[in-house]
Amino acid sequence: MLQRLLMAISVGAALVVLAVLVVRTQSEPQTVQGHLARMITLAQLRVANEDADIQVARARLRLTAETDGLRDAVQRLEAARASLSTHRDEFRAVSRDLSGNAAALIEQIDTKTALIGTYERQLRQFASVYERLRAQVETLLAHPALPLGHALHGVVRGLIEEITAYALQSTPDNRSTIESLLDRLGADAASVPALRGALLDLGRSTTAALGEKDRVRATAQQLADIPIAAGLDDLQQRYVNHYVKSEFEVARYRNVLVIYASALLVVFGFVGWRLRRSYAELQDMNAKLEATVEARTAELRKALNDVRMQQAQLVQSEKMAALGQMVAGVAHEINTPLGYARGNVETVREALPLIRELFDAQQSGDAQRQEQARRNWPPEEGLPEIEMLLADADYGLGQIGELVRSLKDFARVDRSLNEMFDLNEGMETTLKICHNQLKGRIEVKRDYGDLPPVPCAPSQINQVFLNLLNNAAQAIDGPGVIAIRTRVEDGMAVVEVRDSGCGMDAETRAHIFEPFFTTKPVGQGTGLGLSIVFRIVEDHRGSIDVESAVGQGTTFRLRLPLQRPRKLATADADSLQESVA
């Protein structure tokens, strides 16, 4: 035992070491793809940042409100930022410093995109002010009160030219010139009273354009000061160094894994050779064990089939025994209609010669003979009587045929549990069979509900009904009542048989479904009736329960499912066929 434990520990330790080495040497395509994806993300971010810087510089050189390039640059920056955010956890798994660098880059990108949005709005504002300024200049230069040779004409033209140069230069040096022109414009505005208001508006627009352009230039400088490119260089360099170092460690672990795996192969090869020898011995033992198990299984299968056959025979025997107890009553039920049917037929037979004599007289045309025949058998009186006698005989024969069919249906052996059967009709058939036992002493009250056909074995259900009715009749000493009620409840067909008999105490109720349990004297009962009832109901996946008290009668309540699963019905039918085969 100790040797096996040590061997198991050794094998487990060897496998653990092997698993650690395998994990350390993992460089699967997915890992390489992840590395390439991270590098592509950094490259895309670099390109997006450079493109954003280019678009910022180009937008500064425009005097219109066209900013489509800036919006495209912002979208590319945001896409690169989203990709970097996706890989942030991967950078964190590689190194905590790399995760910090990535977080700083994301923050800088957010700042830059926000500033570009501000920059775009400032450019549109400047373009609006500049467009208004240019329109004012064009209006003034075309005004008759300011001819081409006028001193203010040159000041206005020079002012728009200097403002344009100020807007296009990255570091303009003409602000003093613009301020000097503004001073001249304000000083000479009084010389042209008709344009004084327009000239003052031009001065205010020029001042507004200078302010807007200064704000644009300040925002552009803030954008240029964001160190995204430097952060990208640092992150990429750190990541590449870490990746190269990791690949070197993987290569080293691979070499160790090759040596360790070779040693394990040698050890496991020896162990495998030993196990093969042991396996051959186990195969021989297993073959012997399988032969023994097969023989034992065959014996058990045969015993099971014998038990099933005996159970089916027991059910059929109990059914025949129940029928045997009613032979006298059934014979009486048959003899009664048979007796008056035979009497009626005899009467008709006696009348046939008279009918034949009347017919012959009519054929011969002898009036005296016809009159004599009519006196012997008047047709207006005899024919209705014969028809009535024949109708009574036919009715009696029909009763006999119906009773025989009921007996035939009751005594047959079902080979299927899936026939659709009318429980109300089955109860009526059973009542016909035991009618002689009940009539004159027991009143039967029927309360049949509207029941759909139930899948079952009809003769077995009829046997259940017969056993319940027999028990009810035997429990009633003298006149009494048996009440039968059927209904549908919770997806089940419910049949209740209630009698006004002597009832049962609690101890009797606890054992009534046990085989060979009976309260009758020895020789008057087998004790199998209710046991067989319970088994039949259980085979149909139904239930039966009893309510009883001493002196208050007994109620048996039978529940059968309205539908049966296909697989369950097939299995039940196969089991029943095996048991009665």
Side-chain angles (χ1 to χ4, degrees):
M1 184 66 183
L2 181 59
Q3 184 179 4
R4 291 181 181 179
L5 180 60
L6 291 175
M7 182 178 294
I9 293 175
S10 301
V11 172
L15 292 178
V16 169
V17 173
L18 181 63
V20 171
L21 290 176
V22 169
V23 171
R24 292 284 188 175
T25 56
Q26 287 300 304
S27 182
E28 299 177 356
Q30 183 179 2
T31 304
V32 176
Q33 290 174 3
H35 168 68
L36 293 177
R38 289 187 284 273
M39 293 300 293
I40 291 172
T41 297
L42 295 179
Q44 290 174 343
L45 181 57
R46 186 183 302 278
V47 172
N49 181 62
E50 292 175 354
D51 182 63
D53 292 340
I54 292 172
Q55 294 301 328
V56 168
R58 286 178 179 176
R60 183 180 54 80
L61 299 177
R62 295 192 185 97
L63 298 176
T64 62
E66 182 183 353
T67 58
D68 293 341
L70 284 175
R71 285 194 291 271
D72 293 341
V74 168
Q75 291 178 358
R76 285 189 288 272
L77 266 178
E78 289 177 345
R81 188 255 188 215
S83 180
L84 182 61
S85 299
T86 302
H87 293 289
R88 182 177 177 182
D89 291 339
E90 300 174 7
F91 283 121
R92 182 183 293 111
V94 172
S95 170
R96 190 177 299 274
D97 293 339
L98 292 180
S99 176
N101 290 354
L105 271 176
I106 292 173
E107 185 178 352
Q108 291 173 359
I109 293 171
D110 292 340
T111 302
K112 189 163 188 173
T113 53
L115 282 175
I116 289 177
T118 303
Y119 186 67
E120 181 183 2
R121 290 192 298 273
Q122 291 174 348
L123 285 174
R124 285 199 300 269
Q125 185 66 25
F126 170 74
S128 175
V129 173
Y130 180 79
E131 186 64 26
R132 185 170 67 251
L133 176 64
R134 192 169 59 126
Q136 291 175 344
V137 169
E138 290 176 356
T139 302
L140 287 172
L141 293 179
H143 200 279
L146 194 66
L148 184 62
H150 197 283
L152 283 177
H153 190 281
V155 172
V156 171
R157 180 177 295 278
L159 189 61
I160 189 63
E161 291 175 354
E162 292 297 328
I163 287 295
T164 303
Y166 188 85
L168 296 177
Q169 293 177 10
S170 59
T171 55
D173 54 358
N174 61 338
R175 188 178 183 91
S176 59
T177 303
I178 294 173
E179 292 176 351
S180 176
L181 290 173
L182 286 174
D183 292 340
R184 288 183 57 188
L185 186 68
D188 296 341
S191 63
V192 187
L195 298 177
R196 186 173 183 278
L199 291 174
L200 292 178
D201 287 341
L202 178 63
R204 286 191 291 270
S205 297
T206 302
T207 303
L210 290 175
E212 292 295 335
K213 192 60 182 179
D214 290 340
R215 281 190 287 273
V216 168
R217 189 173 291 110
T219 304
Q221 185 60 43
Q222 290 179 359
L223 288 170
D225 292 340
I226 298 176
I228 294 180
L232 274 173
D233 292 338
D234 183 56
L235 178 60
Q236 183 171 350
Q237 185 62 39
R238 287 172 177 266
Y239 175 69
V240 169
N241 291 339
H242 181 85
Y243 184 78
V244 170
K245 181 180 178 181
S246 299
E247 286 296 312
F248 177 76
E249 290 182 356
V250 169
R252 185 177 62 183
Y253 278 112
R254 284 176 182 168
N255 294 333
V256 175
L257 177 62
V258 169
I259 297 172
Y260 185 76
S262 301
L264 282 182
L265 285 176
V266 173
V267 174
F268 286 148
F270 175 74
V271 174
W273 174 75
R274 292 293 301 272
L275 289 175
R276 185 176 180 80
R277 290 184 58 186
S278 301
Y279 180 70
E281 296 175 357
L282 286 175
Q283 278 187 323
D284 294 338
M285 296 176 62
N286 190 37
K288 296 178 181 179
L289 181 60
E290 286 181 356
T292 304
V293 170
E294 278 189 19
R296 184 59 176 165
T297 302
E299 294 176 1
L300 292 175
R301 188 179 294 111
K302 183 177 181 302
L304 178 60
N305 291 335
D306 291 342
V307 169
R308 286 179 175 174
M309 183 176 64
Q310 291 172 4
Q311 287 179 342
Q313 292 174 350
L314 185 61
V315 172
Q316 190 67 10
S317 298
E318 179 65 19
K319 182 189 297 184
M320 293 298 103
L323 284 175
Q325 294 175 3
M326 295 184 206
V327 167
V330 171
H332 177 76
E333 292 293 326
I334 292 176
N335 285 332
T336 299
L338 182 60
Y340 68 73
R342 291 180 62 183
N344 292 349
V345 171
E346 184 65 27
T347 303
V348 173
R349 184 183 294 112
E350 292 175 356
L352 283 177
L354 299 176
I355 297 173
R356 187 177 296 110
E357 182 181 354
L358 177 61
F359 178 76
D360 292 341
Q362 290 176 347
Q363 292 293 325
S364 65
D366 187 347
Q368 184 178 0
R369 186 180 175 186
Q370 292 180 17
E371 183 63 26
Q372 181 65 31
R374 287 191 183 94
R375 283 198 299 269
N376 294 334
W377 187 75
E380 62 276 4
E381 297 178 3
L383 284 176
E385 181 181 0
I386 290 176
E387 291 176 357
M388 181 181 66
L389 291 174
L390 290 177
D392 289 343
D394 182 67
Y395 174 75
L397 293 175
Q399 283 186 319
I400 294 172
E402 187 175 354
L403 185 58
V404 170
R405 282 194 299 272
S406 298
L407 288 171
K408 181 181 177 181
D409 290 340
F410 181 83
R412 72 175 182 173
V413 177
D414 289 312
R415 293 182 176 269
S416 173
L417 296 182
N418 206 28
E419 292 186 27
M420 304 308 293
F421 183 57
D422 187 341
L423 296 182
N424 293 337
E425 183 180 345
M427 181 62 75
E428 282 299 310
T429 299
T430 308
L431 286 171
K432 289 175 184 177
I433 293 175
C434 60
H435 175 68
N436 189 67
Q437 185 180 356
L438 302 178
K439 70 178 181 178
R441 185 172 67 92
I442 297 175
E443 178 187 0
V444 178
K445 294 183 178 180
R446 299 170 176 83
D447 182 11
Y448 293 155
D450 187 11
L451 294 182
V454 175
C456 63
S459 69
Q460 294 187 21
I461 297 302
N462 282 339
Q463 184 176 356
V464 170
F465 291 162
L466 182 61
N467 285 345
L468 294 180
L469 291 174
N470 276 338
N471 285 347
Q474 293 169 5
I476 299 174
D477 186 12
V481 176
I482 295 178
I484 302 171
R485 181 188 178 198
T486 63
R487 65 184 184 278
V488 175
E489 185 179 278
D490 298 331
M492 305 283 282
V494 181
V495 179
E496 288 184 358
V497 178
R498 178 171 53 83
D499 64 68
S500 59
C502 59
M504 296 179 286
D505 56 22
E507 183 178 357
T508 303
R509 288 199 310 272
H511 299 284
I512 57 172
F513 294 117
E514 295 178 2
F516 307 107
F517 176 80
T518 180
T519 58
K520 300 175 183 177
V522 177
Q524 296 186 16
T526 63
L528 293 175
L530 289 178
S531 174
I532 291 175
V533 166
F534 186 81
R535 178 182 178 274
I536 291 174
V537 173
E538 190 177 53
D539 287 343
H540 284 76
R541 298 302 187 269
S543 65
I544 184 169
D545 56 71
V546 59
E547 295 178 2
S548 182
V550 176
Q552 297 182 13
T554 301
T555 300
F556 284 93
R557 187 173 294 104
L558 168 67
R559 290 183 174 86
L560 293 175
L562 295 177
Q563 295 180 351
R564 294 172 66 81
R566 178 179 294 272
K567 293 182 178 179
L568 183 59
T570 302
D572 288 343
D574 293 341
S575 175
L576 182 63
Q577 289 177 3
E578 291 178 3
S579 64
V580 299

